[in-house]
Amino acid sequence: MAYTMKEFAELFQISEHTVRYYTDIQLLPCQRDAGNRRIFDEESVNWMRGILCLKNCGTPIRDMKKYFHLCRLEESEENLRARYEIILNQRELARKKAAAAKAAAEYMDYKVKHYEDILAGLTADDMNPNNWPQEARQPEKTQPCKNT
């Protein structure tokens, strides 16, 4: 199946500008029609899935380019090991990101419960930083996502 730029962007819920960017930096392969417009096929769909997966892991563009360059080279054990190392690193980044997201979601659960208690009149409103005691406002004594 062939996709126009618009169809391809809608398929992945990304902007046409983003699709153009990925083709311009040669991450995403595409063909051109007689009018020199980009068209995309199932190979492009597979590459885009890979791009988005790596992007969601937080992979920098330079690492994506390196990985996809290796994918386009002739198969060899050295090539395979190089791609494997990149994927191992990205898996570690993805796990760290997932752990941070889980911690943030748990913290938000705590905040929701605390606000519900405030709204129910079970505790005082201590969530507004303007109402915090001076010692709680000292940057050296605070940590991210604590007591806020």
Side-chain angles (χ1 to χ4, degrees):
M1 176 168 187
Y3 301 92
T4 65
M5 171 72 77
K6 182 177 181 172
E7 292 167 337
F8 194 79
E10 288 173 354
L11 181 65
F12 289 99
Q13 299 176 341
I14 58 177
S15 70
E16 292 178 38
H17 174 79
T18 299
V19 175
R20 262 190 299 289
Y21 174 71
Y22 289 144
T23 61
D24 289 348
I25 65 169
Q26 299 175 344
L27 270 183
L28 178 64
C30 70
Q31 305 298 315
R32 299 282 181 152
D33 67 10
N36 201 32
R37 291 177 295 264
R38 292 170 177 92
I39 54 172
F40 303 90
D41 58 14
E42 292 307 313
E43 179 187 5
S44 303
V45 169
N46 291 338
W47 284 99
M48 192 70 226
R49 285 184 181 135
I51 291 167
L52 293 177
C53 180
L54 290 172
K55 180 180 181 245
N56 288 336
C57 291
T59 307
I61 293 290
R62 72 177 180 283
D63 292 347
M64 282 190 224
K65 287 177 121 178
K66 181 178 179 182
Y67 179 76
F68 289 131
H69 171 73
L70 291 168
C71 289
R72 291 180 177 113
L73 294 177
E74 186 175 328
E75 290 293 324
S76 70
E77 185 168 338
E78 180 182 355
N79 179 325
L80 181 62
R81 289 189 182 281
R83 291 191 334 249
Y84 173 70
E85 287 298 321
I86 291 170
I87 294 301
L88 277 178
N89 290 335
Q90 295 315 309
R91 179 181 69 178
E92 185 59 29
L93 287 174
R95 287 183 173 162
K96 286 179 181 177
K97 233 178 141 177
K102 183 178 184 237
E106 289 171 354
Y107 178 69
M108 289 299 117
D109 288 342
Y110 161 78
K111 296 285 277 189
V112 166
K113 171 72 171 101
H114 193 70
Y115 270 102
E116 289 170 349
D117 289 349
I118 293 168
L119 290 168
L122 302 174
T123 190
D125 180 4
D126 59 355
M127 300 305 284
N128 186 334
N130 287 327
N131 299 332
W132 293 350
Q134 189 61 34
E135 61 273 7
R137 297 179 192 199
Q138 301 302 316
E140 66 276 359
K141 294 183 182 179
T142 62
Q143 297 177 0
C145 294
K146 298 286 184 191
N147 300 327
T148 56

